[in-house]
Amino acid sequence: MENKCGCWSALRRTASCKPSLESRTTNSVHDAAIETRYLNASNREMRAPNDPQNSSDLNPNQLLEFSFHELKSATGNFRPDSILGEGGFGFVFKGWIHENGTAPAKPGAGITVAVKSLKPDGLQGHREWVAEVDFLGQLHHPNLVKLIGYCIEDDQRLLVYEFMTRGSLENHLFRRTIPLPWSIRIKIATGAAKGLAFLHEGTEPIIYRDFKTSNILLDTEYNAKLSDFGLAKAGPQGDKTHVSTRVVGTYGYAAPEYVMTGHLTSKSDVYSFGVVLLEILTGRRSMDKKRPSGEQNLVMWARPYLADKRKVYQLVDPRLELNYSVKGVQKVAQIAYNCLSRDSKARPSMDEVVKALSPLHDLNDFAVLSYHARLSQQGRRKNKQEGTQNITLSQSKWFNESPRSVGKHHCK
């Protein structure tokens, strides 16, 4: 390693070098040092195939290195009608590449991919780009989006992911006219929980730090996969209880103790999961300025209902009508309530959340069935009552008419 000059020495097009730091640290350090740590860690995954360093260190799922020209062709010159989404980092484009290698393919041929293009306007975006390569380059799980490759060429920074057919959970919850069925909501919540549990339970725990509906992507079968690891952070090691860091993330999802102190733990992610679970249950956004003042903050509005089984059904997304599991709603409300505990230590682990959510798939006690059963029972009672009333009226009529009839017979 002595004759190598830093983080990107193995990449063909890089121009800068950084001094070496430890690949993992839990202390709060200068931003430049953090970037260097990410870069050094990323170098393990982004080493060129002919690098003379020990090949046993290479990940068998080696990331592909794309040229800018290849990705430009794969996305049709980054044309506007291929845009899948936009964020602070830049745009995400739909593209096509050949199955074997990095060559672009014609639309509809080869493999469909999502290409994230970073805006070349600052260190922060570049650091998040490197963090994404660092984490997704090493982590592989069914509930994490697969990173296929990258491009680093001059000031261009791009990432290539597997294409997620059904887009984000955010779109399905808040922008589609057809509501997600209850069973699909439970499936998505469980899958997302499994992704977080995988990050937290590893030998080197990782805190996702930006868990929200727009970062949960869905494949054809509505399997949930976490995306966008730009803000992910290595968790505390050894006897450390937290990581001290600058506060980043999305307002409405961040845990209150993290916002106030900058102390980051896996329980910060658990709180964010509780917010998303509330959004799945209610069909409401975590923050919505269009609602009345007392309902704009979802957690503040929903918390009193979560603790009361008699009121919890008032939280259910009205678009579901009565097509939801009665016990399922009760259990989801309980899980959300525990995840949103103001005491971070009282929140469950994500592994516990997964175990609590998994049995909910098999529940079939839908509210609509109970409703029809009650209607039927009420109908039988009503018919019985009406029948009794009719008999009583008939008897009354008979008794009232009988004397007159008898009198007429006597007069003859």
Side-chain angles (χ1 to χ4, degrees):
M1 290 290 289
E2 298 102 16
N3 59 349
K4 295 288 181 181
C5 65
C7 56
W8 297 109
S9 59
L11 299 179
R12 294 194 295 271
R13 302 179 188 82
T14 187
S16 64
C17 297
K18 303 285 183 182
S20 176
L21 284 181
E22 293 181 3
S23 62
R24 295 284 181 190
T25 179
T26 58
N27 295 326
S28 178
V29 292
H30 188 270
D31 282 351
I34 295 175
E35 181 193 13
T36 304
R37 176 174 65 82
Y38 281 145
L39 293 174
N40 288 335
S42 300
N43 193 36
R44 294 193 300 271
E45 291 305 314
M46 300 175 67
R47 194 172 298 145
N50 60 353
D51 194 312
Q53 297 182 40
N54 189 353
S55 60
S56 64
D57 292 337
L58 292 174
N59 191 312
N61 298 313
Q62 180 102 26
L63 297 178
L64 298 175
E65 183 184 357
F66 293 83
S67 70
F68 181 73
H69 177 73
E70 287 172 334
L71 295 182
K72 184 177 180 180
S73 299
T75 57
N77 199 23
F78 302 106
R79 64 177 187 270
D81 61 352
S82 68
I83 293 176
L84 298 173
E86 180 185 8
F89 53 82
F91 292 97
V92 179
F93 299 87
K94 186 176 183 179
W96 290 267
I97 62 173
H98 282 290
E99 292 187 12
N100 300 313
T102 61
K106 294 181 179 179
I111 300 174
T112 309
V113 294
V115 180
K116 179 190 288 188
S117 177
L118 178 72
K119 294 176 182 176
D121 58 358
L123 175 65
Q124 179 60 39
H126 174 72
R127 183 167 56 249
E128 293 178 9
W129 182 89
V130 175
E132 188 106 352
V133 175
D134 180 14
F135 290 116
L136 280 184
Q138 300 179 67
L139 302 171
H140 304 279
H141 187 270
N143 297 109
L144 303 184
V145 169
K146 180 182 178 182
L147 179 63
I148 297 173
Y150 64 92
C151 169
I152 176 169
E153 187 172 314
D154 299 325
D155 62 347
Q156 300 293 340
R157 302 288 185 274
L158 300 98
L159 296 171
V160 182
Y161 306 87
E162 64 175 315
F163 176 71
M164 300 297 286
T165 312
R166 296 195 181 274
S168 73
L169 174 59
E170 179 189 33
N171 286 338
H172 285 274
L173 279 180
F174 309 125
R175 299 179 184 178
R176 301 286 177 89
T177 54
I178 301 175
L180 280 173
W182 176 256
S183 59
I184 296 297
R185 297 186 191 215
I186 295 298
K187 180 177 183 178
I188 292 170
T190 305
K194 288 179 178 179
L196 279 183
F198 169 74
L199 296 178
H200 293 176
E201 301 300 323
T203 54
E204 294 185 358
I206 294 170
I207 303 171
Y208 188 65
R209 202 160 54 151
D210 198 22
F211 187 82
K212 56 185 178 180
T213 53
S214 61
N215 283 344
I216 301 172
L217 303 185
L218 309 172
D219 67 10
T220 305
E221 303 299 322
Y222 289 98
N223 294 305
K225 301 191 180 188
L226 307 188
S227 68
D228 198 345
F229 278 67
L231 298 181
K233 186 84 172 174
Q237 299 279 326
D239 59 352
K240 294 185 179 298
T241 59
H242 62 270
V243 178
S244 295
T245 178
R246 60 194 173 88
V247 178
V248 296
T250 304
Y251 185 64
Y253 294 95
E257 74 280 358
Y258 171 54
V259 173
M260 294 183 67
T261 67
H263 293 175
L264 188 66
T265 70
S266 61
K267 296 301 179 74
S268 305
D269 280 348
V270 175
Y271 182 92
S272 300
F273 180 85
V275 178
V276 169
L277 197 57
L278 261 189
E279 290 182 305
I280 291 173
L281 175 63
T282 65
R284 295 184 177 215
R285 291 183 180 273
S286 61
M287 296 297 300
D288 191 347
K289 298 297 183 182
K290 295 180 180 178
R291 293 191 178 274
S293 58
E295 301 181 18
Q296 293 180 359
N297 184 306
L298 179 59
V299 173
M300 292 180 63
W301 170 72
R303 199 186 293 275
Y305 296 93
L306 292 173
D308 190 334
K309 287 186 177 181
R310 294 171 298 179
K311 294 182 179 180
V312 70
Y313 301 103
Q314 298 179 42
L315 293 176
V316 180
D317 187 345
R319 294 179 300 166
L320 285 173
E321 296 179 340
L322 293 174
N323 296 306
Y324 59 83
S325 163
V326 175
K327 292 180 180 177
V329 165
Q330 292 176 350
K331 190 62 178 178
V332 166
Q334 180 187 344
I335 296 170
Y337 184 77
N338 293 337
C339 289
L340 295 169
S341 173
R342 294 181 177 90
D343 179 4
S344 61
K345 294 180 180 179
R347 296 170 198 156
S349 67
M350 286 310 304
D351 188 53
E352 292 172 326
V353 170
V354 171
K355 291 177 181 177
L357 284 171
S358 295
L360 306 188
H361 293 268
D362 302 322
L363 297 177
N364 55 10
D365 59 328
F366 278 78
V368 66
L369 299 178
S370 300
Y371 176 72
H372 286 312
R374 287 197 301 272
L375 281 182
S376 178
Q377 187 177 20
Q378 290 172 0
R380 288 195 296 269
R381 288 176 180 172
K382 185 177 180 181
N383 290 337
K384 186 176 180 180
Q385 291 172 353
E386 288 177 348
T388 303
Q389 290 174 354
N390 289 336
I391 292 173
T392 304
L393 288 172
S394 298
Q395 291 174 340
S396 175
K397 184 177 180 182
W398 186 84
F399 281 118
N400 290 333
E401 291 181 350
S402 292
R404 291 193 294 272
S405 300
V406 172
K408 290 178 181 178
H409 288 300
H410 280 291
C411 291
K412 286 183 180 178

